[in-house]
Amino acid sequence: MGFEDDYGLGVSAQYQNGSSLTEVAFIKNAIYGSTDHRDFAGTVAKGTVGDTTYNNEETNTFAGRQSFTLNSGDLTTIIGASIEYGQLYNSEFGENGDTLNYAVHLDLNYDGWGFQAQYLAFDFDQYDDGKIDPNKIGMGMLDGFYEVASKGNIYTANLSKSIGTSWGSLTLYNDFSMVQPDFEEFDDSILNSTGVSLSYGPVFVYVDYYSAKNVLWLGGNSLGLTQANDDWDHRFNINLAYYF
């Protein structure tokens, strides 16, 4: 959906005062051009899906995040909220739409246990050239181009447990997320991943099992749109890395 690891060209600043951390940023453009879809996070961009061509480009984006870190013995709690506003420029018509997104989040860590929760509301209000369905918007990622619901909510909940060993570390985790579109004709996209990661010196391994419904690249071709069927899709994944 473009809300994680989404880099761009701009300037940022942060101010920390005790437990309070204030972060602000202005992002002029996406890190790649609007027709270059190699980013590792979804980016509103130009492209075609079926008979529909999207001509949007992220520009002039302002973002802010306020968080507080609270410590009580072995318990560390981070609570915060963030907001993002920017333009969606349509180069074909020389018109601008805009986007307004906000979120609240919680991050808990206690004795190796971790819990993260977030609620995020998004709204991509693109310029309607009469050739698109304004309830959908196109995004590029990993050399692909796909559609997502243009307005909705995202719910996230992650639970993990880290275990130290004499040879390295072991982490068990379960990550859950759901995209809930704000349109009755569309369906939710649900993704759950259960896994374990192991770190041993320069070697890092993680093993995941995904369960998904109506999810891009896991049986689906979009996010938060009409699902093709009511089936759950599954995938088993093993990743091995050596750092030097």
Side-chain angles (χ1 to χ4, degrees):
M1 294 294 294
F3 299 115
E4 80 297 340
D5 302 327
D6 189 14
Y7 296 95
L9 178 65
V11 60
S12 65
Q14 65 179 40
Y15 174 72
Q16 187 157 10
N17 182 17
S19 63
S20 171
L21 176 62
T22 304
E23 300 165 281
V24 294
F26 170 73
I27 302 97
K28 178 57 183 174
N29 293 307
I31 192 169
Y32 302 116
S34 58
T35 58
D36 188 333
H37 305 149
R38 59 180 146 151
D39 204 341
F40 285 97
T43 302
V44 175
K46 299 178 182 179
T48 300
V49 178
D51 297 327
T52 304
T53 297
Y54 296 91
N55 290 289
N56 299 300
E57 179 179 359
E58 292 182 347
T59 184
N60 298 329
T61 301
F62 294 88
R65 179 178 182 265
Q66 177 63 51
S67 61
F68 299 90
T69 301
L70 310 174
N71 294 295
S72 178
D74 293 334
L75 175 64
T76 299
T77 304
I78 302 174
I79 56 174
S82 56
I83 188 168
E84 178 185 70
Y85 174 80
Q87 292 179 317
L88 301 174
Y89 178 63
N90 186 312
S91 59
E92 183 176 351
F93 291 86
E95 299 285 351
N96 283 303
D98 59 18
T99 179
L100 176 62
N101 317 297
Y102 59 88
V104 292
H105 63 272
L106 171 70
D107 191 344
L108 299 174
N109 286 278
Y110 177 77
D111 192 28
W113 287 94
F115 176 73
Q116 298 172 320
Q118 179 174 266
Y119 164 73
L120 187 153
F122 64 92
D123 186 359
F124 297 106
D125 187 14
Q126 64 195 307
Y127 172 71
D128 186 357
D129 59 13
K131 302 177 182 179
I132 62 169
D133 180 349
N135 294 347
K136 305 176 184 179
I137 194 166
M139 288 193 171
M141 174 178 165
L142 298 175
D143 289 327
F145 192 78
Y146 54 94
E147 292 174 311
V148 303
S150 61
K151 185 177 181 181
N153 307 295
I154 301 176
Y155 304 91
T156 306
N158 304 326
L159 180 66
S160 65
K161 172 60 175 176
S162 296
I163 304 170
T165 70
S166 60
W167 46 265
S169 64
L170 174 73
T171 302
L172 307 173
Y173 56 87
N174 190 89
D175 299 339
F176 171 85
S177 62
M178 179 174 70
V179 177
Q180 180 187 68
D182 200 28
F183 308 105
E184 290 185 0
E185 68 268 30
F186 295 156
D187 299 305
D188 297 343
S189 291
I190 303 172
L191 173 63
N192 191 84
S193 58
T194 302
V196 57
S197 66
L198 303 93
S199 177
Y200 177 69
V203 177
F204 182 77
V205 180
Y206 67 84
V207 180
D208 299 295
Y209 182 73
Y210 297 98
S211 297
K213 181 183 289 189
N214 197 31
V215 171
L216 181 73
W217 294 318
L218 281 166
N221 58 4
S222 59
L223 283 170
L225 301 187
T226 304
Q227 62 187 16
N229 55 64
D230 198 39
D231 296 335
W232 284 90
D233 300 292
H234 306 278
R235 179 176 296 176
F236 184 69
N237 175 67
I238 300 176
N239 184 83
L240 172 64
Y242 182 83
Y243 295 91
F244 58 91

